[in-house]
Structures are given as structure tokens and as C-alpha cells.
Amino acid sequence: MVYFLCSLYKEAEGIISYFHLKKISSISSFQEFEGDGIKLIISGTGKINAACAVGCILSQNNHEKSDIFINVGICGSDERSEGEAFFINKIKDVDSGEEYYPDIIIKHPFKEAYLETHSKVVKHGDIRDLCDMEGSAFFKSALKFMYHHQIAIIKIVSDTADNKLISGDYIKNIISKNLGNIKLFIDCYLASMTKNQFFSEKDKAVMSCIDENLKLTESQNIEFRKAYIALKLRGAFDKFDFQKFLNVRVTVKSESRKYFNELISAMWES
């Protein structure tokens, strides 16, 4: 399942049309739409609305480990060009100082950027890179239900923080122009998370053997799987030597942690 959150209807309008989504009745006051394998919720502006909308849509559905939740919306910037789309690699809540780091393991067609989330409209000159009013709350709330790699934020620059008026049609237009790349990212993510499509029988055998040899916990297994996917996507898989970890058998937890940390470090550095 692919979940979308947009703060404004005009942000969502192009997505609704592109993916042929239909409005559904909801027990909440949020507008919700769905289609084939896709659900979308419109939160309204601000961190509280975003957090509530995340809880609403995810608590209603039995989400899977292969699902993804994407916040698509507009943002401001002093430096970036209007209409440019960015995949967020770091988020800072300006009010609390908290920082979040999405787990980017899939190749994507976007430039990456840093996002600051504010509670108030930002004036020109107060932005380090990009700014919005929902990103940090969306990410923090989604983490209550999902893992880091299942949560993504894609922001399109709508203005240069000069407080100029932006029309709804303009918002719809700049987001619609980026929907092809958003669809490409989703397709790559879903393919990588579908074992039967992405993992060969050899992959499954290697993963199963290492899982058994190192006696991985559930969380370690998830981390190992993410590193394995990233290794393949980077094209570094054929050069990586798993032999040491296929031959070792641990007997105590401390030994398991030692080999696991060594394995994960080596995989991400390859």
C-alpha cells in the first residue's frame, strides 16, 4: 500500500487525478481518497493537523512492512528554484530542535535537500534550505507506525519565502509536473520491497543462512534486509564477500552483536 499525505487539496488534486483516486467516507473530518493500492489524506496546514492525519489514516489500516507513506507538498526556499522537487534527507523541527533522518535506500530521480519545519510563516532570509509547516510532525508521527525507510517527504518549491500570493492552480501545476518522477520512485520502492521480484533464490539462501548463523533479532533482520537491498541497488552486491558471515556460528549475544555490526558497516561502506 502507498499512503499519501498532503496538507492542501490543491497539493493533492493532481495526485488524485493521476492515480484515479476516489473520495471515500471517513469517520474523521479529514478528506480521504483511495484507488488501486493507494490511500491519500488531506491534513490541513500545520504540525498538529499533520500528526492527527497520520494517526487517523494509519490506525484505520493494517499496514505492511512493504508499505510506504509519502508527504507531498509545497515548500519555501531562499536559494532553490521555483518548481524544483526535492527528496528530503534531513528534517529539523525549528520549535523543538529535534532532527530526523529519513532512511534513503532506494535510488530516486530527485535532488536531495534539508527541510526546516516552522509553526509560523517564514520571512525571507530565515531559511537554511527548504521550509514548510508539516514535515517534522508528519515524520515523527509516522515513526509511531512505520520504520524510517517507509517514510518519505517530497517537497516542491512554490515560493522564495517572500510572502507573495500563490494560486491554487499554480500549486496543482508544479506538483503535477513532478508526478512522473514520484511514480518512478514508488515503483522502484515497491519492486525492492517485493521479495519475489527483487530477491533471487540465492539472495534468499544467503539471507536465511546469515539470519540463522548470527541469530538475528527482528530489528536486526530488518536492518540487514535494508542494507542488503541498498547493496544491490548500488550495484556493489557482486563485489561483496559474505563468506565470513556464512561460515560463522555465534553462541552468545555479544558475539552476535559484534559480527552483525561488522557486517552492516561493511555492507554500507561497499
Side-chain angles (χ1 to χ4, degrees):
M1 181 68 68
V2 177
Y3 296 94
F4 284 104
L5 180 143
C6 297
S7 63
L8 305 172
Y9 178 78
K10 281 297 181 180
E11 292 175 332
E13 191 173 5
I15 300 173
I16 293 167
S17 175
Y18 188 90
F19 291 104
H20 308 292
L21 308 183
K22 303 295 183 182
K23 189 172 184 179
I24 60 174
S25 58
S26 172
I27 60 173
S28 74
S29 61
F30 296 110
Q31 293 186 74
E32 296 184 47
F33 300 80
E34 68 177 12
D36 185 18
I38 297 176
K39 292 182 181 290
L40 180 148
I41 190 166
I42 299 174
S43 66
T45 304
K47 291 190 289 186
I48 292 176
N49 284 332
C52 290
V54 169
C56 177
I57 195 169
L58 291 184
S59 63
Q60 290 180 45
N61 297 279
N62 296 320
H63 43 279
E64 305 292 337
K65 292 178 180 178
S66 59
D67 292 347
I68 188 168
F69 200 171
I70 310 171
N71 171 214
V72 176
I74 59 173
C75 66
S77 177
D78 278 342
E79 304 293 336
R80 308 289 192 167
S81 300
E82 292 184 14
E84 275 193 291
F86 295 91
F87 200 103
I88 302 304
N89 57 23
K90 179 181 177 181
I91 311 131
K92 180 176 181 178
D93 187 301
V94 173
D95 300 313
S96 68
E98 294 178 312
E99 296 181 340
Y100 306 95
Y101 298 86
D103 216 344
I104 304 173
I105 61 173
I106 306 299
K107 288 183 178 178
H108 59 79
F110 303 100
K111 296 178 182 178
E112 295 184 9
Y114 166 76
L115 177 70
E116 292 179 340
T117 298
H118 297 252
S119 294
K120 299 179 181 179
V121 175
V122 181
K123 296 181 180 179
H124 184 69
D126 293 338
I127 310 167
R128 175 177 160 184
D129 194 356
L130 308 181
C131 68
D132 81 338
M133 298 180 70
E134 294 83 30
S136 63
F138 162 78
F139 197 87
K140 182 176 182 179
S141 301
L143 277 177
K144 302 293 184 183
F145 300 87
M146 293 175 153
Y147 296 102
H148 281 73
H149 70 279
Q150 294 179 277
I151 310 166
I153 299 178
I154 298 172
K155 292 291 179 178
I156 296 93
V157 177
S158 61
D159 64 274
T160 53
D162 52 10
N163 298 322
K164 71 177 183 181
L165 293 176
I166 302 170
S167 71
D169 287 341
Y170 173 73
I171 293 172
K172 176 185 176 182
N173 184 49
I174 62 172
I175 289 180
S176 295
K177 286 181 177 179
N178 288 284
L179 286 175
N181 280 337
I182 291 173
K183 175 67 161 53
L184 177 61
F185 163 68
I186 291 170
D187 288 345
C188 289
Y189 176 87
L190 294 179
S192 71
M193 290 295 141
T194 304
K195 290 183 179 181
N196 291 335
Q197 294 180 8
F198 191 75
F199 295 125
S200 66
E201 292 303 317
K202 179 181 177 181
D203 291 330
K204 294 174 186 177
V206 168
M207 296 171 76
S208 177
C209 183
I210 289 177
D211 179 18
E212 182 178 344
N213 288 358
L214 300 187
K215 302 186 186 309
L216 301 182
T217 64
E218 179 67 17
S219 62
Q220 286 175 330
N221 220 314
I222 292 169
E223 189 174 351
F224 171 49
R225 190 164 177 264
K226 289 192 295 181
Y228 201 101
I229 291 169
L231 194 70
K232 293 193 71 173
L233 290 175
R234 292 198 305 272
F237 179 79
D238 291 338
K239 298 179 182 178
F240 190 84
D241 185 8
F242 284 102
Q243 203 58 48
K244 174 180 178 180
F245 306 97
L246 292 172
N247 293 333
V248 69
R249 281 185 173 271
V250 304
T251 56
V252 295
K253 287 185 178 180
S254 60
E255 192 177 17
S256 174
R257 285 195 298 270
K258 172 190 171 185
Y259 280 108
F260 174 74
N261 291 336
E262 182 182 342
L263 169 62
I264 295 300
S265 295
M267 291 176 75
W268 283 112
E269 290 171 3
S270 294

